[in-house]
Amino acid sequence: MEYVGRAPCPPLDRFVDDIYCLSGVPRHRRMNIPPMPSAHLFLNLGDPVLLRDSAAGVPPAVLAEGWFMGLWTRRFVVEYPARVRLVGVHFKPWGLAPFVGVPASELRDRWVPVDTVWRRSVDRMRNRIGDTGSAAHTLDVLEAELLSRLAEVPPRGLDLVLHAGGRLVTSGRAVPVAALATEAGVSGNHLAAQFKAHAGVTPKRLARIYRFARLILAVDARRPTGWPELAHTAGYFDQAHFSREFKDFTGHTPTEYLALRRRFPAAPGFPPDAGPMPAD
């Protein structure tokens, strides 16, 4: 499967990490996706994709056209068709806010059809892309749609979340929520409410997801892996808590995950395989 991606132009880069195309035959049909600090938009130009929630009792979703995904706080499984043709957007955790006009908490841990949020947009984008459009043309269409949807005036409170969220990204370790609130000159409750509105989760929950992402993306299965050192560097100071959270987020113990990573190494330069693992 081929991955073609790029960072978007300003001002989209304040809210979007990258836009990309996936096409071809997937290396693995079923992928286990752990929580990561991003929200998503997918436009499906091929056969339907099946999504399975790790939460008990949630029925699988068959997605044939396009869907939004808010921030996920638990793992889920993507089941690809035999051939893939997907266009995607990796939003920053708070990046959906100026595009969708609904609280991010309503999109957390959910798959929502695009046309329920952007009415009558899927067919227009699919028609502009066409059946044989190049990856570059496809990304141009998607970028133009995003620019047309970007609110001229940011939603109230988003600047606060952008500032505090930036501190979470650059800190390298979890920043105490009290310190974030003090730096911003607001109460902890106010900061939490704004994060829920614009990112879907509290800053404490988002910090946990960033901490896990730093850890999982630092794993190099080609070399000996010292989990205590990796965990400490990522910001875990309680090894028992680290082990529980790792199992909760991946479905595997650290040892099991490392064995799978060595059995199914991620392809160089193929970001979709950096954290997820084959589910079979």
Side-chain angles (χ1 to χ4, degrees):
M1 187 159 61
E2 181 184 30
Y3 169 91
V4 178
R6 73 186 189 209
C9 65
L12 294 178
D13 57 347
R14 295 186 68 205
F15 310 105
V16 175
D17 283 325
D18 65 281
I19 56 178
Y20 61 94
C21 296
L22 286 176
S23 59
V25 178
R27 297 173 68 202
H28 307 286
R29 292 287 296 274
R30 299 177 72 244
M31 296 294 292
N32 187 38
I33 315 295
M36 286 289 171
S38 59
H40 301 265
L41 163 65
F42 291 101
L43 183 64
N44 190 9
L45 304 175
D47 292 332
V49 175
L50 186 67
L51 301 174
R52 299 182 186 275
D53 196 327
S54 63
V58 180
V62 179
L63 299 167
E65 295 186 338
W67 64 98
F68 280 104
M69 291 171 48
L71 196 73
W72 273 71
T73 62
R74 57 182 180 263
R75 60 190 172 87
F76 61 92
V77 172
V78 173
E79 188 169 325
Y80 291 123
R83 291 192 65 86
V84 172
R85 192 176 179 221
L86 281 174
V87 189
V89 180
H90 278 128
F91 292 94
K92 298 178 188 298
W94 44 83
L96 282 175
F99 295 96
V100 300
V102 297
S105 57
E106 295 184 12
L107 300 174
R108 184 188 65 234
D109 296 327
R110 293 183 62 202
W111 306 295
V112 179
V114 169
D115 276 343
T116 65
V117 180
W118 289 354
R119 299 195 181 280
R120 296 182 296 276
S121 62
V122 170
D123 286 344
R124 182 178 65 254
M125 285 189 286
R126 289 166 68 102
N127 289 338
R128 289 183 62 194
I129 291 169
D131 294 332
T132 58
S134 67
H137 171 67
T138 299
L139 295 180
D140 286 343
V141 170
L142 183 58
E143 195 164 10
E145 183 72 22
L146 290 169
L147 283 168
S148 74
R149 297 279 182 173
L150 180 62
E152 292 185 8
V153 179
R156 185 178 180 181
L158 181 57
D159 285 341
L160 170 64
V161 175
L162 283 169
H163 173 76
R167 287 280 289 118
L168 287 178
V169 175
T170 59
S171 67
R173 292 181 180 228
V175 179
V177 174
L180 286 176
T182 299
E183 288 178 13
V186 299
S187 71
N189 287 339
H190 180 75
L191 186 65
Q194 294 304 314
F195 265 78
K196 285 183 179 179
H198 298 305
V201 296
T202 64
K204 183 176 180 180
R205 176 64 68 90
L206 184 57
R208 285 179 58 197
I209 295 173
Y210 266 115
R211 181 177 61 187
F212 172 77
R214 284 193 294 270
L215 172 87
I216 208 71
L217 296 177
V219 173
D220 186 347
R222 298 168 299 180
R223 296 179 173 84
T225 299
W227 287 112
E229 181 180 353
L230 274 179
H232 182 78
T233 300
Y236 291 92
F237 300 103
D238 183 327
Q239 290 298 310
H241 175 249
F242 156 68
S243 297
R244 289 193 302 271
E245 185 162 279
F246 194 99
K247 181 68 177 288
D248 183 43
F249 279 4
T250 68
H252 301 288
T253 66
T255 300
E256 291 169 344
Y257 179 88
L258 185 59
L260 280 170
R261 180 56 74 201
R262 286 172 174 164
R263 184 179 174 192
F264 302 111
F270 196 73
D273 275 359
M277 286 297 305
D280 292 324

